[in-house]
C-alpha cells in the first residue's frame, strides 16, 4: 500500500489541524499517509500577525521540499482570505512555482481553496457558517466566500482572538452558535471555518440535527487532498462531503 507524504504549513500556535486531518485520512481504506509540518509564528489572529505569518511562507516551503512531500496544504484559512479576493489562487501558484524551482511538483492546496472546492463539490451555493474570529476578520471571510460566487445567508463570529484559545473552544459553544443561525434555504453549513477550531465530533450530530450537509475547514482539506491525489474520497463518519454516495456522484 502506497504511503503519501502530506506537508502542512501551519501557524505555530495551531494544534488542531495536525490532529484532525491525520485522523480523517487515517480512515482511508486504500492508502496510508505520513504528515510533515512546518510552522509560521502566530499567536493572535489579527491582521498584523497574519501578514507577518504569511511572510514566513517561503522558509516553510523550503523545509517541506526537503521532505519530498507528495502534497502540501497551506493550513490557515483566514491568513489567506484576509489578504483579499482570490488570494488562495495567488498563494497556491507561488508555492507551486517555489517547489518547481526545487525540481518538485507536489499537489499544492490551501484550506481557503479547499473550503471553496468542497462547497462546490456539494453543489452548495447558499451557505451559513460559524467562525471563531473577531468580527472584522469574520466579515472578511464572508466577503471572500461571496466573491467566490457563494451567498452567505447567515454567520456567527465567536470573537476569540487568541489562536491557542481557538483550539480549546468547546463543541457545545460551536453547536449553540450554529443553532442561532437562520438555516432556512441553506444548502450547507460550515460549522468551523477555521482549521484550529475543533470540528470532527460535530459533523455527524450537526447533519442529523439540521438536515443539511455540514463541513468544516478540516473535512474540506481532507476531501481536496484525496481528490487531487487521485484517491477515492469516501471516508466513514466524516459527513456528506466525504460520504460514499457523494464520492460516487462525481
Amino acid at each position: 500500500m502506497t504511503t503519501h507524504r502530506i506537508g502542512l504549513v501551519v501557524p505555530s500556535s495551531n494544534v488542531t489541524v495536525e490532529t484532525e486531518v491525520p485522523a480523517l485520512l487515517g480512515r482511508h481504506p486504500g492508502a496510508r499517509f505520513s504528515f510533515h509540518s512546518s510552522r509560521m509564528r502566530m499567536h493572535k489572529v489579527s491582521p498584523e500577525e497574519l501578514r507577518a505569518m504569511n511572510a514566513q511562507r517561503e522558509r516553510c516551503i523550503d523545509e517541506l521540499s526537503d521532505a519530498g512531500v507528495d502534497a502540501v496544504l497551506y493550513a490557515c484559512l483566514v491568513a489567506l482570505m484576509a489578504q483579499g479576493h482570490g488570494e488562495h489562487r495567488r498563494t497556491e501558484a507561488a508555492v507551486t512555482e517555489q517547489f518547481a524551482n526545487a525540481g518538485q511538483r507536489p499537489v499544492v492546496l490551501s484550506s481557503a481553496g479547499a473550503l471553496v472546492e468542497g462547497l462546490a463539490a456539494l453543489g452548495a451555493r447558499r451557505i451559513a457558517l460559524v467562525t471563531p474570529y473577531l468580527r472584522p476578520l469574520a466579515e472578511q471571510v464572508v466577503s471572500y466566500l461571496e466573491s467566490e460566487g457563494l451567498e452567505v445567508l447567515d454567520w456567527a463570529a465567536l470573537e476569540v482572538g487568541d489562536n491557542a484559545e481557538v483550539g480549546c473552544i468547546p463543541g457545545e459553544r460551536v453547536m449553540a452558535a450554529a443553532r442561532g443561525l437562520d438555516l432556512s434555504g441553506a444548502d450547507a453549513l460550515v460549522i468551523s471555518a477555521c482549521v484550529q477550531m475543533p470540528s470532527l465530533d460535530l459533523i455527524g450530530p450537526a447533519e442529523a440535527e439540521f438536515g443539511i450537509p455540514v463541513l468544516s475547514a478540516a473535512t474540506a482539506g481532507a476531501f481536496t487532498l484525496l481528490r487531487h491525489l487521485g484517491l477515492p474520497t469516501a471516508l466513514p463518519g466524516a459527513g456528506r462531503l466525504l460520504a460514499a454516495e457523494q464520492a460516487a456522484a462525481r
Side-chain angles (χ1 to χ4, degrees):
M1 187 181 293
T2 300
T3 297
H4 302 272
R5 295 179 186 174
I6 308 298
L8 298 170
V9 180
V10 298
S12 58
S13 49
N14 193 305
V15 296
T16 304
V17 68
E18 292 159 303
T19 301
E20 292 197 335
V21 171
L24 284 163
L25 295 185
R27 303 173 191 175
H28 199 279
R32 294 188 181 126
F33 303 88
S34 63
F35 298 89
H36 314 277
S37 297
S38 183
R39 314 186 84 76
M40 307 174 288
R41 295 298 303 278
M42 188 270 274
H43 295 284
K44 298 292 184 182
V45 191
S46 67
E48 296 77 19
E49 287 211 25
L50 291 173
R51 284 193 295 271
M53 186 190 76
N54 285 331
Q56 301 166 56
R57 184 191 71 219
E58 290 188 7
R59 170 187 56 79
C60 292
I61 298 308
D62 283 340
E63 292 175 0
L64 292 176
S65 70
D66 291 343
V69 295
D70 300 304
V72 62
L73 180 68
Y74 193 96
C76 187
L77 181 144
V78 72
L80 299 188
M81 290 193 178
Q83 308 313 313
H85 300 165
E87 181 62 24
H88 76 272
R89 295 183 185 85
R90 290 188 288 272
T91 295
E92 290 170 10
V95 170
T96 297
E97 182 178 5
Q98 188 174 344
F99 273 113
N101 290 338
Q104 299 178 29
R105 297 191 180 279
V107 169
V108 175
L109 303 167
S110 66
S111 294
L115 185 59
V116 172
E117 184 172 342
L119 289 165
L122 286 167
R125 290 292 177 265
R126 295 159 58 86
I127 66 169
L129 69 152
V130 179
T131 80
Y133 311 120
L134 300 176
R135 190 173 183 88
L137 281 175
E139 289 173 342
Q140 288 183 285
V141 170
V142 170
S143 175
Y144 195 99
L145 292 172
E146 290 182 335
S147 76
E148 294 291 325
L150 296 156
E151 182 179 357
V152 180
L153 301 177
D154 203 1
W155 56 278
L158 299 184
E159 299 275 1
V160 180
D162 185 281
N163 200 47
E165 291 181 14
V166 171
C168 301
I169 295 173
E172 185 50 43
R173 184 180 177 193
V174 180
M175 287 293 288
R179 292 183 187 113
L181 298 174
D182 182 359
L183 299 178
S184 56
D187 301 319
L189 167 65
V190 180
I191 201 151
S192 176
C194 174
V195 293
Q196 171 73 331
M197 189 164 76
S199 66
L200 288 197
D201 292 342
L202 308 180
I203 301 294
E207 286 195 340
E209 179 172 340
F210 302 124
I212 57 175
V214 176
L215 70 163
S216 68
T219 61
F223 169 80
T224 54
L225 281 166
L226 291 171
R227 189 186 225 189
H228 288 269
L229 286 168
L231 297 169
T233 60
L235 297 175
R240 291 192 216 175
L241 177 62
L242 289 155
E245 60 269 21
Q246 174 67 22
R250 286 188 300 276

